[in-house]
Amino acid sequence: PVPVQGRGGLVGGVTGGVPAQQGRGLPPPAPLVASSLIVGRVVDAASGKGVSGAVVTLNGGPTRTVQPQQPGLPNHPPAPPALPPQILTDADGRFAFMNLTRGNYQLTATKSGFAQGAYGRLRPNGPTKPVQLDDGEKMPDVAIRIFKFASIAGTVVDDGGEPVVSTT
């Protein structure tokens, strides 16, 4: 029998009882430290060249909050939720997100004329991977592939090889 707190030392006389807790709780979580960094590049999946002007969005990590309203201002609607951070890539497709806290993040990239890309995606609409950051961790070479939309171009000609106008 295992002694537990209470009358008689045992609960119901059952062997294998649970010892009483001595006021022990879980330790408080470590404070969030904004010291992590993600640096990467958005690339054309076919050519591997950097894509300028792509919008990279960072989702995940700890909950982002907005500044509370000033007290004493009646009839003001609540502030909208904070939007995820976004950044525009430079001429070589590079981007950086600084002062991040530990956590799991999802990175996506969009640009007109391309299918959306995401970290870990190897084909259009394929699976993605999270970027896992620890306190003070630096991810220096994150690549996000985006995929050009395909197109077909040509000229419709008649039997004599002359272009046909207004045909479908």
Side-chain angles (χ1 to χ4, degrees), residues 65-78:
T65 58
V66 294
Q67 295 295 334
Q69 293 182 30
Q70 294 179 359
L73 296 177
N75 299 326
H76 286 304

Side-chain angles (χ1 to χ4, degrees), residues 7-19:
R7 278 187 239 145
L10 294 175
V11 177
V14 177
T15 60
V18 178

